[in-house]
mmCIF file of all heavy atoms in Angstrom:
data_model
loop_
_atom_site.group_PDB
_atom_site.id
_atom_site.type_symbol
_atom_site.label_atom_id
_atom_site.label_comp_id
_atom_site.label_asym_id
_atom_site.label_seq_id
_atom_site.Cartn_x
_atom_site.Cartn_y
_atom_site.Cartn_z
ATOM 1 N N LYS W 99 -159.850 -210.220 -94.894
ATOM 2 C CA LYS W 99 -158.995 -211.275 -94.365
ATOM 3 C C LYS W 99 -158.951 -212.546 -95.205
ATOM 4 O O LYS W 99 -158.019 -213.326 -95.156
ATOM 5 C CB LYS W 99 -159.519 -211.651 -92.935
ATOM 6 C CG LYS W 99 -159.477 -210.543 -91.941
ATOM 7 C CD LYS W 99 -158.010 -210.219 -91.486
ATOM 8 C CE LYS W 99 -157.954 -209.378 -90.264
ATOM 9 N NZ LYS W 99 -158.591 -207.996 -90.392
ATOM 10 N N SER W 100 -160.021 -212.698 -96.011
ATOM 11 C CA SER W 100 -160.105 -213.904 -96.906
ATOM 12 C C SER W 100 -161.141 -213.658 -97.940
ATOM 13 O O SER W 100 -161.976 -212.783 -97.854
ATOM 14 C CB SER W 100 -160.381 -215.184 -96.081
ATOM 15 O OG SER W 100 -161.777 -215.183 -95.579
ATOM 16 N N PHE W 101 -161.150 -214.589 -98.952
ATOM 17 C CA PHE W 101 -162.126 -214.638 -99.964
ATOM 18 C C PHE W 101 -162.839 -216.001 -99.987
ATOM 19 O O PHE W 101 -162.246 -216.990 -99.521
ATOM 20 C CB PHE W 101 -161.539 -214.386 -101.353
ATOM 21 C CG PHE W 101 -160.991 -212.999 -101.611
ATOM 22 C CD1 PHE W 101 -159.664 -212.737 -101.527
ATOM 23 C CD2 PHE W 101 -161.891 -211.966 -101.956
ATOM 24 C CE1 PHE W 101 -159.216 -211.433 -101.759
ATOM 25 C CE2 PHE W 101 -161.439 -210.675 -102.167
ATOM 26 C CZ PHE W 101 -160.061 -210.437 -102.105
ATOM 27 N N ALA W 102 -164.030 -216.010 -100.445
ATOM 28 C CA ALA W 102 -164.727 -217.368 -100.684
ATOM 29 C C ALA W 102 -165.318 -217.243 -102.077
ATOM 30 O O ALA W 102 -165.685 -216.157 -102.570
ATOM 31 C CB ALA W 102 -165.830 -217.465 -99.725
ATOM 32 N N LEU W 103 -165.356 -218.404 -102.772
ATOM 33 C CA LEU W 103 -165.948 -218.505 -104.095
ATOM 34 C C LEU W 103 -166.953 -219.634 -104.076
ATOM 35 O O LEU W 103 -166.746 -220.748 -103.602
ATOM 36 C CB LEU W 103 -164.857 -218.834 -105.144
ATOM 37 C CG LEU W 103 -165.377 -218.985 -106.590
ATOM 38 C CD1 LEU W 103 -164.326 -218.470 -107.570
ATOM 39 C CD2 LEU W 103 -165.675 -220.426 -106.896
ATOM 40 N N ILE W 104 -168.148 -219.307 -104.573
ATOM 41 C CA ILE W 104 -169.168 -220.293 -104.736
ATOM 42 C C ILE W 104 -169.656 -220.269 -106.216
ATOM 43 O O ILE W 104 -169.982 -219.203 -106.719
ATOM 44 C CB ILE W 104 -170.415 -220.084 -103.808
ATOM 45 C CG1 ILE W 104 -169.926 -220.173 -102.337
ATOM 46 C CG2 ILE W 104 -171.529 -220.960 -104.118
ATOM 47 C CD1 ILE W 104 -170.973 -219.823 -101.343
ATOM 48 N N ASN W 105 -169.709 -221.476 -106.815
ATOM 49 C CA ASN W 105 -170.115 -221.585 -108.260
ATOM 50 C C ASN W 105 -171.378 -222.496 -108.234
ATOM 51 O O ASN W 105 -171.280 -223.661 -107.745
ATOM 52 C CB ASN W 105 -168.954 -222.164 -109.031
ATOM 53 C CG ASN W 105 -169.422 -222.566 -110.423
ATOM 54 O OD1 ASN W 105 -168.974 -223.608 -110.950
ATOM 55 N ND2 ASN W 105 -170.271 -221.813 -111.111
ATOM 56 N N ASP W 106 -172.518 -221.958 -108.725
ATOM 57 C CA ASP W 106 -173.684 -222.772 -108.762
ATOM 58 C C ASP W 106 -174.570 -222.437 -109.980
ATOM 59 O O ASP W 106 -174.318 -221.490 -110.697
ATOM 60 C CB ASP W 106 -174.485 -222.645 -107.431
ATOM 61 C CG ASP W 106 -174.906 -221.210 -107.118
ATOM 62 O OD1 ASP W 106 -174.955 -220.338 -108.044
ATOM 63 O OD2 ASP W 106 -175.133 -220.975 -105.936
ATOM 64 N N ASP W 107 -175.519 -223.324 -110.201
ATOM 65 C CA ASP W 107 -176.394 -223.279 -111.380
ATOM 66 C C ASP W 107 -177.852 -223.240 -110.797
ATOM 67 O O ASP W 107 -178.395 -224.226 -110.371
ATOM 68 C CB ASP W 107 -176.195 -224.563 -112.195
ATOM 69 C CG ASP W 107 -177.293 -224.789 -113.222
ATOM 70 O OD1 ASP W 107 -178.054 -223.877 -113.522
ATOM 71 O OD2 ASP W 107 -177.357 -225.887 -113.765
ATOM 72 N N PRO W 108 -178.475 -222.009 -110.900
ATOM 73 C CA PRO W 108 -179.813 -221.886 -110.386
ATOM 74 C C PRO W 108 -180.927 -222.446 -111.323
ATOM 75 O O PRO W 108 -182.070 -222.551 -110.988
ATOM 76 C CB PRO W 108 -180.030 -220.390 -110.260
ATOM 77 C CG PRO W 108 -179.174 -219.769 -111.304
ATOM 78 C CD PRO W 108 -177.912 -220.764 -111.411
ATOM 79 N N ASP W 109 -180.478 -222.872 -112.550
ATOM 80 C CA ASP W 109 -181.401 -223.401 -113.557
ATOM 81 C C ASP W 109 -181.552 -224.856 -113.507
ATOM 82 O O ASP W 109 -182.294 -225.447 -114.324
ATOM 83 C CB ASP W 109 -180.998 -222.943 -114.979
ATOM 84 C CG ASP W 109 -180.907 -221.427 -115.040
ATOM 85 O OD1 ASP W 109 -181.804 -220.741 -114.479
ATOM 86 O OD2 ASP W 109 -179.946 -220.933 -115.629
ATOM 87 N N ALA W 110 -180.916 -225.584 -112.601
ATOM 88 C CA ALA W 110 -180.961 -227.014 -112.512
ATOM 89 C C ALA W 110 -182.413 -227.426 -112.161
ATOM 90 O O ALA W 110 -183.072 -226.801 -111.375
ATOM 91 C CB ALA W 110 -180.002 -227.546 -111.408
ATOM 92 N N PRO W 111 -182.878 -228.556 -112.732
ATOM 93 C CA PRO W 111 -184.270 -228.936 -112.554
ATOM 94 C C PRO W 111 -184.655 -229.309 -111.110
ATOM 95 O O PRO W 111 -185.795 -229.126 -110.748
ATOM 96 C CB PRO W 111 -184.411 -230.204 -113.457
ATOM 97 C CG PRO W 111 -183.051 -230.606 -113.843
ATOM 98 C CD PRO W 111 -182.159 -229.392 -113.683
ATOM 99 N N MET W 112 -183.702 -229.705 -110.305
ATOM 100 C CA MET W 112 -184.028 -230.064 -108.887
ATOM 101 C C MET W 112 -183.753 -228.932 -107.981
ATOM 102 O O MET W 112 -183.753 -229.087 -106.701
ATOM 103 C CB MET W 112 -183.141 -231.308 -108.465
ATOM 104 C CG MET W 112 -183.322 -232.498 -109.338
ATOM 105 S SD MET W 112 -184.893 -233.351 -109.055
ATOM 106 C CE MET W 112 -184.554 -234.042 -107.434
ATOM 107 N N GLY W 113 -183.500 -227.716 -108.479
ATOM 108 C CA GLY W 113 -183.135 -226.555 -107.620
ATOM 109 C C GLY W 113 -181.645 -226.227 -107.860
ATOM 110 O O GLY W 113 -180.946 -226.926 -108.627
ATOM 111 N N THR W 114 -181.169 -225.199 -107.254
ATOM 112 C CA THR W 114 -179.821 -224.701 -107.506
ATOM 113 C C THR W 114 -178.844 -225.825 -107.186
ATOM 114 O O THR W 114 -178.853 -226.446 -106.091
ATOM 115 C CB THR W 114 -179.514 -223.460 -106.545
ATOM 116 O OG1 THR W 114 -180.420 -222.457 -106.926
ATOM 117 C CG2 THR W 114 -178.105 -222.966 -106.772
ATOM 118 N N TRP W 115 -177.896 -226.024 -108.150
ATOM 119 C CA TRP W 115 -176.896 -227.145 -108.071
ATOM 120 C C TRP W 115 -175.540 -226.488 -107.876
ATOM 121 O O TRP W 115 -175.134 -225.613 -108.587
ATOM 122 C CB TRP W 115 -176.937 -227.931 -109.379
ATOM 123 C CG TRP W 115 -176.060 -229.181 -109.321
ATOM 124 C CD1 TRP W 115 -174.775 -229.268 -109.690
ATOM 125 C CD2 TRP W 115 -176.448 -230.452 -108.840
ATOM 126 N NE1 TRP W 115 -174.341 -230.609 -109.472
ATOM 127 C CE2 TRP W 115 -175.335 -231.342 -108.944
ATOM 128 C CE3 TRP W 115 -177.670 -230.983 -108.324
ATOM 129 C CZ2 TRP W 115 -175.366 -232.667 -108.556
ATOM 130 C CZ3 TRP W 115 -177.682 -232.296 -107.920
ATOM 131 C CH2 TRP W 115 -176.554 -233.161 -108.053
ATOM 132 N N VAL W 116 -174.853 -226.931 -106.808
ATOM 133 C CA VAL W 116 -173.521 -226.374 -106.469
ATOM 134 C C VAL W 116 -172.448 -227.137 -107.160
ATOM 135 O O VAL W 116 -172.305 -228.332 -107.060
ATOM 136 C CB VAL W 116 -173.348 -226.507 -104.941
ATOM 137 C CG1 VAL W 116 -171.980 -225.854 -104.542
ATOM 138 C CG2 VAL W 116 -174.460 -225.791 -104.207
ATOM 139 N N HIS W 117 -171.602 -226.351 -107.923
ATOM 140 C CA HIS W 117 -170.557 -226.944 -108.711
ATOM 141 C C HIS W 117 -169.142 -226.770 -108.094
ATOM 142 O O HIS W 117 -168.213 -227.490 -108.436
ATOM 143 C CB HIS W 117 -170.549 -226.259 -110.111
ATOM 144 C CG HIS W 117 -171.625 -226.764 -110.963
ATOM 145 N ND1 HIS W 117 -171.449 -227.793 -111.965
ATOM 146 C CD2 HIS W 117 -172.977 -226.427 -111.061
ATOM 147 C CE1 HIS W 117 -172.636 -228.011 -112.523
ATOM 148 N NE2 HIS W 117 -173.539 -227.208 -112.011
ATOM 149 N N TRP W 118 -168.974 -225.783 -107.187
ATOM 150 C CA TRP W 118 -167.651 -225.499 -106.717
ATOM 151 C C TRP W 118 -167.788 -224.598 -105.438
ATOM 152 O O TRP W 118 -168.564 -223.671 -105.463
ATOM 153 C CB TRP W 118 -166.812 -224.809 -107.716
ATOM 154 C CG TRP W 118 -165.313 -224.832 -107.594
ATOM 155 C CD1 TRP W 118 -164.587 -225.637 -106.752
ATOM 156 C CD2 TRP W 118 -164.397 -224.022 -108.261
ATOM 157 N NE1 TRP W 118 -163.227 -225.349 -106.943
ATOM 158 C CE2 TRP W 118 -163.098 -224.376 -107.912
ATOM 159 C CE3 TRP W 118 -164.560 -222.992 -109.215
ATOM 160 C CZ2 TRP W 118 -161.973 -223.765 -108.376
ATOM 161 C CZ3 TRP W 118 -163.402 -222.384 -109.724
ATOM 162 C CH2 TRP W 118 -162.106 -222.781 -109.328
ATOM 163 N N VAL W 119 -167.007 -224.973 -104.376
ATOM 164 C CA VAL W 119 -166.990 -224.180 -103.204
ATOM 165 C C VAL W 119 -165.517 -224.067 -102.703
ATOM 166 O O VAL W 119 -164.840 -225.065 -102.529
ATOM 167 C CB VAL W 119 -167.795 -224.805 -102.007
ATOM 168 C CG1 VAL W 119 -167.693 -224.029 -100.770
ATOM 169 C CG2 VAL W 119 -169.227 -225.046 -102.415
ATOM 170 N N VAL W 120 -164.983 -222.843 -102.632
ATOM 171 C CA VAL W 120 -163.651 -222.611 -102.197
ATOM 172 C C VAL W 120 -163.703 -221.446 -101.158
ATOM 173 O O VAL W 120 -164.385 -220.451 -101.356
ATOM 174 C CB VAL W 120 -162.698 -222.177 -103.315
ATOM 175 C CG1 VAL W 120 -161.258 -222.141 -102.828
ATOM 176 C CG2 VAL W 120 -162.839 -223.044 -104.525
ATOM 177 N N TYR W 121 -163.074 -221.628 -100.017
ATOM 178 C CA TYR W 121 -163.124 -220.631 -98.934
ATOM 179 C C TYR W 121 -161.746 -220.531 -98.229
ATOM 180 O O TYR W 121 -160.864 -221.356 -98.461
ATOM 181 C CB TYR W 121 -164.222 -220.979 -97.958
ATOM 182 C CG TYR W 121 -164.304 -222.323 -97.405
ATOM 183 C CD1 TYR W 121 -163.720 -222.641 -96.179
ATOM 184 C CD2 TYR W 121 -164.785 -223.384 -98.207
ATOM 185 C CE1 TYR W 121 -163.727 -223.975 -95.727
ATOM 186 C CE2 TYR W 121 -164.800 -224.698 -97.766
ATOM 187 C CZ TYR W 121 -164.264 -224.984 -96.485
ATOM 188 O OH TYR W 121 -164.298 -226.240 -96.043
ATOM 189 N N ASN W 122 -161.651 -219.517 -97.410
ATOM 190 C CA ASN W 122 -160.380 -219.188 -96.763
ATOM 191 C C ASN W 122 -159.259 -218.995 -97.778
ATOM 192 O O ASN W 122 -158.095 -219.287 -97.521
ATOM 193 C CB ASN W 122 -160.004 -220.194 -95.692
ATOM 194 C CG ASN W 122 -160.931 -220.131 -94.508
ATOM 195 O OD1 ASN W 122 -161.546 -219.091 -94.265
ATOM 196 N ND2 ASN W 122 -160.933 -221.168 -93.645
ATOM 197 N N ILE W 123 -159.668 -218.371 -98.912
ATOM 198 C CA ILE W 123 -158.616 -217.965 -99.899
ATOM 199 C C ILE W 123 -157.938 -216.732 -99.267
ATOM 200 O O ILE W 123 -158.583 -215.787 -98.868
ATOM 201 C CB ILE W 123 -159.270 -217.589 -101.208
ATOM 202 C CG1 ILE W 123 -160.068 -218.743 -101.803
ATOM 203 C CG2 ILE W 123 -158.243 -217.106 -102.246
ATOM 204 C CD1 ILE W 123 -160.955 -218.371 -102.940
ATOM 205 N N PRO W 124 -156.546 -216.735 -99.130
ATOM 206 C CA PRO W 124 -155.918 -215.631 -98.523
ATOM 207 C C PRO W 124 -156.255 -214.302 -99.127
ATOM 208 O O PRO W 124 -156.541 -214.244 -100.368
ATOM 209 C CB PRO W 124 -154.433 -215.962 -98.690
ATOM 210 C CG PRO W 124 -154.423 -217.438 -98.877
ATOM 211 C CD PRO W 124 -155.653 -217.820 -99.585
ATOM 212 N N ALA W 125 -156.203 -213.254 -98.377
ATOM 213 C CA ALA W 125 -156.673 -211.906 -98.794
ATOM 214 C C ALA W 125 -155.778 -211.373 -99.904
ATOM 215 O O ALA W 125 -156.239 -210.523 -100.663
ATOM 216 C CB ALA W 125 -156.671 -210.916 -97.625
ATOM 217 N N ASP W 126 -154.544 -211.806 -100.026
ATOM 218 C CA ASP W 126 -153.575 -211.278 -101.072
ATOM 219 C C ASP W 126 -153.739 -212.096 -102.410
ATOM 220 O O ASP W 126 -153.049 -211.830 -103.346
ATOM 221 C CB ASP W 126 -152.195 -211.269 -100.584
ATOM 222 C CG ASP W 126 -151.646 -212.653 -100.253
ATOM 223 O OD1 ASP W 126 -152.458 -213.612 -100.106
ATOM 224 O OD2 ASP W 126 -150.414 -212.763 -100.021
ATOM 225 N N VAL W 127 -154.635 -213.050 -102.411
ATOM 226 C CA VAL W 127 -154.866 -213.862 -103.633
ATOM 227 C C VAL W 127 -156.083 -213.356 -104.362
ATOM 228 O O VAL W 127 -157.119 -213.207 -103.771
ATOM 229 C CB VAL W 127 -155.064 -215.362 -103.274
ATOM 230 C CG1 VAL W 127 -155.436 -216.193 -104.483
ATOM 231 C CG2 VAL W 127 -153.790 -215.934 -102.589
ATOM 232 N N THR W 128 -155.958 -213.091 -105.669
ATOM 233 C CA THR W 128 -157.061 -212.488 -106.437
ATOM 234 C C THR W 128 -157.346 -213.366 -107.690
ATOM 235 O O THR W 128 -157.836 -212.751 -108.657
ATOM 236 C CB THR W 128 -156.810 -211.036 -106.726
ATOM 237 O OG1 THR W 128 -155.576 -210.916 -107.465
ATOM 238 C CG2 THR W 128 -156.849 -210.168 -105.570
ATOM 239 N N SER W 129 -156.976 -214.606 -107.659
ATOM 240 C CA SER W 129 -157.234 -215.502 -108.838
ATOM 241 C C SER W 129 -157.122 -216.910 -108.425
ATOM 242 O O SER W 129 -156.423 -217.242 -107.455
ATOM 243 C CB SER W 129 -156.397 -215.164 -109.956
ATOM 244 O OG SER W 129 -154.975 -215.532 -109.639
ATOM 245 N N LEU W 130 -157.811 -217.782 -109.169
ATOM 246 C CA LEU W 130 -157.620 -219.210 -109.139
ATOM 247 C C LEU W 130 -157.255 -219.664 -110.504
ATOM 248 O O LEU W 130 -158.014 -219.325 -111.474
ATOM 249 C CB LEU W 130 -158.885 -219.920 -108.628
ATOM 250 C CG LEU W 130 -159.210 -219.706 -107.185
ATOM 251 C CD1 LEU W 130 -160.614 -220.301 -106.834
ATOM 252 C CD2 LEU W 130 -158.158 -220.297 -106.225
ATOM 253 N N GLU W 131 -156.175 -220.329 -110.662
ATOM 254 C CA GLU W 131 -155.750 -220.731 -111.986
ATOM 255 C C GLU W 131 -156.637 -221.821 -112.528
ATOM 256 O O GLU W 131 -157.374 -222.507 -111.788
ATOM 257 C CB GLU W 131 -154.277 -221.265 -111.942
ATOM 258 C CG GLU W 131 -153.254 -220.219 -111.561
ATOM 259 C CD GLU W 131 -151.854 -220.730 -111.572
ATOM 260 O OE1 GLU W 131 -151.620 -221.942 -111.871
ATOM 261 O OE2 GLU W 131 -150.921 -219.926 -111.215
ATOM 262 N N GLU W 132 -156.587 -222.020 -113.808
ATOM 263 C CA GLU W 132 -157.270 -223.131 -114.472
ATOM 264 C C GLU W 132 -156.837 -224.481 -113.855
ATOM 265 O O GLU W 132 -155.699 -224.639 -113.403
ATOM 266 C CB GLU W 132 -156.855 -223.084 -116.014
ATOM 267 C CG GLU W 132 -157.447 -224.258 -116.822
ATOM 268 C CD GLU W 132 -156.917 -224.182 -118.217
ATOM 269 O OE1 GLU W 132 -155.818 -224.748 -118.509
ATOM 270 O OE2 GLU W 132 -157.546 -223.559 -119.048
ATOM 271 N N ASN W 133 -157.749 -225.380 -113.813
ATOM 272 C CA ASN W 133 -157.528 -226.791 -113.355
ATOM 273 C C ASN W 133 -157.014 -226.879 -111.927
ATOM 274 O O ASN W 133 -156.045 -227.483 -111.590
ATOM 275 C CB ASN W 133 -156.479 -227.436 -114.313
ATOM 276 C CG ASN W 133 -156.498 -228.975 -114.152
ATOM 277 O OD1 ASN W 133 -157.381 -229.536 -113.632
ATOM 278 N ND2 ASN W 133 -155.403 -229.614 -114.552
ATOM 279 N N VAL W 134 -157.809 -226.239 -110.999
ATOM 280 C CA VAL W 134 -157.560 -226.397 -109.610
ATOM 281 C C VAL W 134 -157.849 -227.887 -109.228
ATOM 282 O O VAL W 134 -158.941 -228.366 -109.525
ATOM 283 C CB VAL W 134 -158.418 -225.436 -108.736
ATOM 284 C CG1 VAL W 134 -158.305 -225.771 -107.277
ATOM 285 C CG2 VAL W 134 -158.072 -224.014 -109.020
ATOM 286 N N LEU W 135 -156.859 -228.532 -108.696
ATOM 287 C CA LEU W 135 -157.012 -229.969 -108.415
ATOM 288 C C LEU W 135 -158.020 -230.204 -107.303
ATOM 289 O O LEU W 135 -158.188 -229.385 -106.445
ATOM 290 C CB LEU W 135 -155.648 -230.601 -108.053
ATOM 291 C CG LEU W 135 -154.610 -230.498 -109.168
ATOM 292 C CD1 LEU W 135 -153.302 -231.083 -108.737
ATOM 293 C CD2 LEU W 135 -155.132 -231.182 -110.443
ATOM 294 N N PRO W 136 -158.729 -231.343 -107.266
ATOM 295 C CA PRO W 136 -159.707 -231.621 -106.261
ATOM 296 C C PRO W 136 -159.071 -232.082 -104.962
ATOM 297 O O PRO W 136 -159.218 -233.191 -104.474
ATOM 298 C CB PRO W 136 -160.502 -232.743 -106.880
ATOM 299 C CG PRO W 136 -159.524 -233.458 -107.807
ATOM 300 C CD PRO W 136 -158.607 -232.373 -108.336
ATOM 301 N N GLU W 137 -158.347 -231.147 -104.335
ATOM 302 C CA GLU W 137 -157.691 -231.355 -103.032
ATOM 303 C C GLU W 137 -158.445 -230.580 -101.986
ATOM 304 O O GLU W 137 -158.930 -229.449 -102.204
ATOM 305 C CB GLU W 137 -156.244 -230.918 -103.123
ATOM 306 C CG GLU W 137 -155.453 -231.642 -104.176
ATOM 307 C CD GLU W 137 -154.025 -231.031 -104.404
ATOM 308 O OE1 GLU W 137 -153.841 -229.896 -104.032
ATOM 309 O OE2 GLU W 137 -153.174 -231.794 -104.906
ATOM 310 N N GLU W 138 -158.438 -231.156 -100.769
ATOM 311 C CA GLU W 138 -159.141 -230.452 -99.649
ATOM 312 C C GLU W 138 -158.525 -229.093 -99.331
ATOM 313 O O GLU W 138 -159.205 -228.120 -99.109
ATOM 314 C CB GLU W 138 -159.130 -231.333 -98.390
ATOM 315 C CG GLU W 138 -159.998 -232.531 -98.559
ATOM 316 C CD GLU W 138 -160.053 -233.380 -97.299
ATOM 317 O OE1 GLU W 138 -159.228 -233.100 -96.371
ATOM 318 O OE2 GLU W 138 -160.901 -234.266 -97.230
ATOM 319 N N THR W 139 -157.188 -229.080 -99.311
ATOM 320 C CA THR W 139 -156.434 -227.815 -99.039
ATOM 321 C C THR W 139 -155.543 -227.481 -100.179
ATOM 322 O O THR W 139 -154.695 -228.371 -100.592
ATOM 323 C CB THR W 139 -155.660 -227.871 -97.717
ATOM 324 O OG1 THR W 139 -156.610 -228.252 -96.685
ATOM 325 C CG2 THR W 139 -155.030 -226.559 -97.312
ATOM 326 N N LEU W 140 -155.578 -226.292 -100.698
ATOM 327 C CA LEU W 140 -154.717 -225.872 -101.828
ATOM 328 C C LEU W 140 -153.393 -225.371 -101.314
ATOM 329 O O LEU W 140 -153.264 -225.080 -100.106
ATOM 330 C CB LEU W 140 -155.419 -224.771 -102.625
ATOM 331 C CG LEU W 140 -156.834 -225.162 -103.164
ATOM 332 C CD1 LEU W 140 -157.405 -223.968 -103.908
ATOM 333 C CD2 LEU W 140 -156.785 -226.406 -104.051
ATOM 334 N N ALA W 141 -152.415 -225.246 -102.212
ATOM 335 C CA ALA W 141 -151.096 -224.824 -101.759
ATOM 336 C C ALA W 141 -151.081 -223.422 -101.112
ATOM 337 O O ALA W 141 -150.253 -223.184 -100.232
ATOM 338 C CB ALA W 141 -150.205 -224.786 -103.022
ATOM 339 N N ASN W 142 -152.043 -222.524 -101.511
ATOM 340 C CA ASN W 142 -152.089 -221.240 -100.877
ATOM 341 C C ASN W 142 -152.846 -221.193 -99.515
ATOM 342 O O ASN W 142 -153.039 -220.156 -98.952
ATOM 343 C CB ASN W 142 -152.655 -220.183 -101.863
ATOM 344 C CG ASN W 142 -154.110 -220.507 -102.241
ATOM 345 O OD1 ASN W 142 -154.817 -221.257 -101.586
ATOM 346 N ND2 ASN W 142 -154.558 -219.911 -103.342
ATOM 347 N N GLY W 143 -153.302 -222.402 -99.112
ATOM 348 C CA GLY W 143 -154.006 -222.469 -97.810
ATOM 349 C C GLY W 143 -155.518 -222.482 -97.948
ATOM 350 O O GLY W 143 -156.248 -222.749 -96.977
ATOM 351 N N ALA W 144 -156.076 -222.139 -99.157
ATOM 352 C CA ALA W 144 -157.532 -222.163 -99.321
ATOM 353 C C ALA W 144 -158.062 -223.552 -99.196
ATOM 354 O O ALA W 144 -157.324 -224.566 -99.395
ATOM 355 C CB ALA W 144 -157.866 -221.613 -100.695
ATOM 356 N N MET W 145 -159.326 -223.632 -98.766
ATOM 357 C CA MET W 145 -159.984 -224.938 -98.610
ATOM 358 C C MET W 145 -161.090 -225.098 -99.656
ATOM 359 O O MET W 145 -161.737 -224.156 -99.990
ATOM 360 C CB MET W 145 -160.563 -225.008 -97.215
ATOM 361 C CG MET W 145 -159.546 -224.912 -96.101
ATOM 362 S SD MET W 145 -160.365 -224.933 -94.504
ATOM 363 C CE MET W 145 -158.983 -224.958 -93.402
#
């Protein structure tokens, strides 16, 4: 029904550092283009 993407760095000195969180990506979407703008809700409905 949806996809979620989590981007993190487990090698950060203070513990795993989270660089990107995207969720509720529609099930028919199988990519995120370069330079996703820092908006709460994307054009495809993902958050």
Side-chain angles (χ1 to χ4, degrees):
K99 298 286 193 299
S100 71
F101 291 100
L103 178 146
I104 295 173
N105 170 220
D106 56 24
D107 167 14
D109 301 320
M112 302 285 290
T114 300
W115 188 266
V116 181
H117 286 261
W118 199 15
V119 178
V120 189
Y121 50 99
N122 289 342
I123 303 168
D126 61 348
V127 174
T128 55
S129 67
L130 291 172
E131 295 182 1
E132 175 185 89
N133 196 19
V134 173
L135 298 178
E137 299 171 340
E138 290 183 348
T139 304
L140 304 179
N142 62 19
M145 299 176 175

